[in-house]
Amino acid sequence: MGRKALDLETLIATVREQMPERRWVHTQGVMGTAVILARRFGADPAKAELAAILHDVAKFWKVDKMEAAIREEGLFTDVLNYDKELWHAHAGAYISRRDYGVEDDEVLGAIRYHTSGREGMTLLEKVVWLADLIEPGRQFPGVDDIRSVAENDLDEALVAGFDTTLGFLMEKKKKIYPLTVLARNDLLAGIKNTN
């Protein structure tokens, strides 16, 4: 049983304390972008904002603290065999329930999968994943193209985003978390079925 949920203002202040200013600026960008995308594609803007506020809550924890949270939850320990950049999402989802009183599974899923994606992503998970990638502070080759696609087609923008992410991981010779590949393949299958 988690704690009582914090009011939005207290939650924002508490989360902001856990990260450097540049990451808070990123978080604000994700919040704004998630709300815009939620309205554009029919997701719940309040849930999108809540997931965005918490998506990087554990990002600046020490690695052993993230690992301890993942092990304590005991559900997704396989992520510990992959890049540590993935860990904060799982730790963040767990502590969002445990420490911040978030009980909404849809919001928790959006936090948990905002780095990796997954097969069968919910609308909210898609919105938060994409918002994290294309918020105004992000600058990388192709981001403007993805933003452009996101004006009209959420799934196409996600595929473009996953392609960029997978290309980056391959270029850096990093192991790829299987959920990321499954997420991309699932989105492609969905797009082909609608065409």
Side-chain angles (χ1 to χ4, degrees), residues 3-159:
R3 287 173 38 174
K4 184 177 181 248
L6 301 175
D7 66 84
L8 203 58
E9 197 174 299
T10 305
L11 180 66
I12 287 170
T14 305
V15 170
R16 185 175 186 171
E17 290 170 4
Q18 308 232 6
M19 56 186 66
E21 186 60 25
R22 68 183 167 76
R23 183 52 55 162
W24 179 246
V25 170
H26 162 74
T27 297
Q28 289 176 301
V30 177
M31 288 162 59
T33 305
V35 168
I36 289 166
L37 292 173
R39 289 187 176 130
R40 183 177 297 155
F41 295 110
D44 183 321
K47 288 183 180 188
E49 183 179 45
L50 179 58
I53 291 166
L54 286 160
H55 84 284
D56 276 350
V57 68
K59 177 94 175 169
F60 292 91
W61 283 13
K62 288 187 170 23
V63 171
D64 58 345
K65 187 175 178 183
M66 281 190 260
E67 181 179 355
I70 291 166
R71 290 194 186 284
E72 185 178 311
E73 184 180 35
L75 298 177
F76 299 92
T77 55
D78 67 315
V79 77
L80 297 172
N81 298 318
Y82 294 90
D83 197 301
K84 291 175 179 62
E85 283 294 312
L86 296 166
W87 295 12
H88 74 280
H90 292 276
Y94 176 58
I95 65 133
S96 291
R97 182 186 299 272
R98 186 190 74 188
D99 298 349
Y100 297 108
V102 176
E103 295 291 337
D104 188 312
D105 287 334
E106 195 178 7
V107 171
L108 295 170
I111 298 166
R112 182 175 308 282
Y113 299 111
H114 85 268
T115 54
S116 65
R118 71 176 175 117
E119 201 169 18
M121 290 174 79
T122 67
L123 180 57
L124 188 65
E125 289 167 6
K126 291 175 179 183
V127 160
V128 174
W129 190 95
L130 188 60
D132 184 41
L133 186 73
I134 67 168
E135 62 90 3
R138 294 282 199 195
Q139 296 302 321
F140 58 85
V143 70
D144 289 330
D145 294 335
I146 298 169
R147 288 180 181 127
S148 210
V149 174
E151 293 289 326
N152 301 303
D153 194 315
L154 181 62
D155 285 356
E156 290 280 3
L158 282 157
V159 170

